[in-house]
């Protein structure tokens, strides 16, 4: 942090009623009940010491519910597209870009399923830390025979991108645009919201968080697709469901064939 942030927190075993929540809110007090404490205990248990910074982001965003600036401005080249309906401030934009994993680690969060808590407002599972360790090994491996980076997009949705008519995106001059039509993608610079957990990970949490302790997290680039704040939570859930229901694993016979071909073409077999 570039400046200190003090937050008053009241921990309670009981669930406060709406009047108590409002009264505490007017006094600047955050109420954390036993269900949220249980969620944090589960989160810390899953992430462990090696990934405690990821749990911290969820603590700020989901438990305390504060928008805390990271203190870092991240500006990246991007292509902006329109999707769906909407005009003016209600325009639905998505942005395609490449970025270093380390630049967006603190900006990203996951809407976890929580036992008995906000089940209609959450959809993601906890990470599997053994997968994170395997991904770290993969992205840090230096090999002439393969590219140790991911080619598919992380799918993200911002809570505040383009909100209130803010100028999150600056278009490049017209001579640098590839298409002059109204619905064409626009090339420019995207200024990401510098707030802990502003970017919800719809798909790709293991691919991103696997870089958390990797040596190459500030050297590699990953592809990202970011939807602005106009994407509803229900739409995020449906995208998550569609991806996980429709993606197919590589056929085992084809996988063995590819592995055999790779072995034959390796320097040891030439």
């Amino acid at each position: 942090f570039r400046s200190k942030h003090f937050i008053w927190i009241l921990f309670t075993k009981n669930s406060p009623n709406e009047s108590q929540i409002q009264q505490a809110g007017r006094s600047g007090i955050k109420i954390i009940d036993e269900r949220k404490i249980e969620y944090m205990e589960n989160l810390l248990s899953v992430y462990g010491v090696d990934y405690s910074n990821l749990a911290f982001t969820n603590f700020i965003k989901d438990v305390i519910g504060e928008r805390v600036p990271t203190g870092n401005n991240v500006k990246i080249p991007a292509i902006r597209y329109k999707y769906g309906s909407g005009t003016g401030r209600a325009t639905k934009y998505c942005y395609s870009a490449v970025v270093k994993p380390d630049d967006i680690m603190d900006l990203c969060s996951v809407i976890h399923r929580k036992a008995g808590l906000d089940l209609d407002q959450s959809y993601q599972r906890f990470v599997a830390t053994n997968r994170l360790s395997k991904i770290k090994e993969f992205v840090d491996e230096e090999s002439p025979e393969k590219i140790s980076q991911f080619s598919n997009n992380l799918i993200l949705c911002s809570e505040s991108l383009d909100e209130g008519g803010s100028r999150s995106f600056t278009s490049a001059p017209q001579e640098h645009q590839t298409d002059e039509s109204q619905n064409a993608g626009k090339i420019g610079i995207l200024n990401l919201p510098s707030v802990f957990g502003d970017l919800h990970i719809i798909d790709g949490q293991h691919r991103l968080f696997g870089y958390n302790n990797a040596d190459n997290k500030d050297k590699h680039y990953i592809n990202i697709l970011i939807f602005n704040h106009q994407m509803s939570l229900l739409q995020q859930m449906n995208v998550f469901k569609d991806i996980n229901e429709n993606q197919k694993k590589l056929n085992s016979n084809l996988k063995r064939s590819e592995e055999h071909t790779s072995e034959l073409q390796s320097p040891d077999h030439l």
Side-chain angles (χ1 to χ4, degrees), residues 111-235:
I111 304 177
H112 292 123
R113 297 302 301 264
K114 310 172 187 69
L117 184 67
D118 301 331
L119 294 180
D120 60 336
Q121 301 178 38
S122 56
Y123 56 93
Q124 285 274 19
R125 299 156 291 188
F126 283 137
V127 295
T129 50
N130 62 326
R131 286 186 62 189
L132 298 185
S133 299
K134 289 178 181 178
I135 289 173
K136 177 191 177 301
E137 293 175 4
F138 170 76
V139 298
D140 279 342
E141 182 180 353
E142 303 291 342
S143 171
E145 287 134 25
K146 69 175 184 177
I147 300 174
S148 297
Q149 297 190 55
F150 297 102
S151 57
N152 49 334
N153 282 334
L154 266 68
I155 311 297
L156 311 172
C157 178
S158 171
E159 290 184 355
S160 63
L161 196 59
D162 301 324
E163 190 175 34
S166 61
R167 289 182 57 83
S168 304
F169 183 77
T170 303
S171 294
Q174 191 58 47
E175 59 266 25
H176 297 300
Q177 304 296 339
T178 58
D179 193 330
E180 296 183 4
S181 62
Q182 184 177 0
N183 294 322
K186 298 296 180 184
I187 299 170
I189 300 296
L190 177 63
N191 190 12
L192 295 176
S194 55
V195 175
F196 279 98
D198 181 270
L199 303 178
H200 300 172
I201 301 178
I202 299 175
D203 184 62
Q205 62 170 326
H206 286 93
R207 276 172 278 146
L208 175 63
F209 293 157
Y211 272 103
N212 188 65
N213 297 319
D215 296 331
N216 286 326
K217 65 180 179 180
D218 61 346
K219 301 181 181 71
H220 283 185
Y221 284 88
I222 53 176
N223 301 302
I224 59 175
L225 183 66
I226 306 177
F227 292 89
N228 71 356
H229 79 287
Q230 293 290 345
M231 175 178 266
S232 69
L233 183 58
L234 178 59
Q235 289 173 321

Side-chain angles (χ1 to χ4, degrees), residues 69-122:
T70 62
N72 298 316
N73 273 332
V74 180
K75 294 185 178 182
I76 54 175
I79 302 176
R80 184 182 70 183
Y81 303 91
K82 288 184 180 180
Y83 76 96
S85 58
T87 58
R89 293 189 176 185
T91 303
K92 297 178 179 179
Y93 288 121
C94 62
Y95 300 87
S96 178
V98 292
V99 65
K100 292 179 180 179
D102 200 34
D103 286 341
I104 63 169
M105 196 73 69
D106 289 338
L107 306 182
C108 291
S109 62
V110 178
I111 304 177
H112 292 123
R113 297 302 301 264
K114 310 172 187 69
L117 184 67
D118 301 331
L119 294 180
D120 60 336
Q121 301 178 38
S122 56

